[in-house]
Amino acid sequence: MKAFLGKIREVVKANDMAKQENLIGLLNPMIRGWANYHQGAVAKETFAKVDHEIWRIIPPVNFPVIGIVGQAGKMNITWLDQ
């Protein structure tokens, strides 16, 4: 599992300026292959741990930042309702 997560880290670091779609395109076959290889032997907790670690490795590029200030200087939270 450590070697697999290390490969994921290498791909993410090597493609840190890539578009999200391209990064997903690179990571998807790796993750799918690992999951298919280990589907009969790896426990649910291991899959959950790998999922959690991958979310920690990938930078949050498209998530909104809380604390955006509008033109009037007040908090603009209308985007939260969408």
Side-chain angles (χ1 to χ4, degrees):
M1 184 170 69
K2 286 184 182 182
F4 171 68
L5 291 173
K7 289 179 185 179
I8 296 288
R9 281 187 191 93
E10 289 175 11
V11 170
V12 170
K13 285 182 183 179
N15 297 288
D16 61 346
M17 296 302 291
K19 289 185 177 182
Q20 186 177 20
E21 297 87 19
N22 297 339
L23 185 59
I24 291 171
L26 292 171
L27 294 177
N28 194 25
M30 295 174 62
I31 296 168
R32 190 178 302 221
W34 183 87
N36 286 336
Y37 182 79
H38 293 287
Q39 71 182 357
V42 178
K44 179 180 175 181
E45 294 84 17
T46 304
F47 278 110
K49 182 174 173 83
V50 168
D51 181 55
H52 175 75
E53 290 298 321
I54 289 173
W55 275 102
R56 287 185 60 215
I57 293 169
I58 298 174
V61 293
N62 287 332
F63 297 121
V65 178
I66 296 175
I68 298 174
V69 178
Q71 291 179 347
K74 295 182 179 179
M75 183 74 72
N76 184 3
I77 56 172
T78 58
W79 58 273
L80 291 174
D81 296 333
Q82 297 175 358

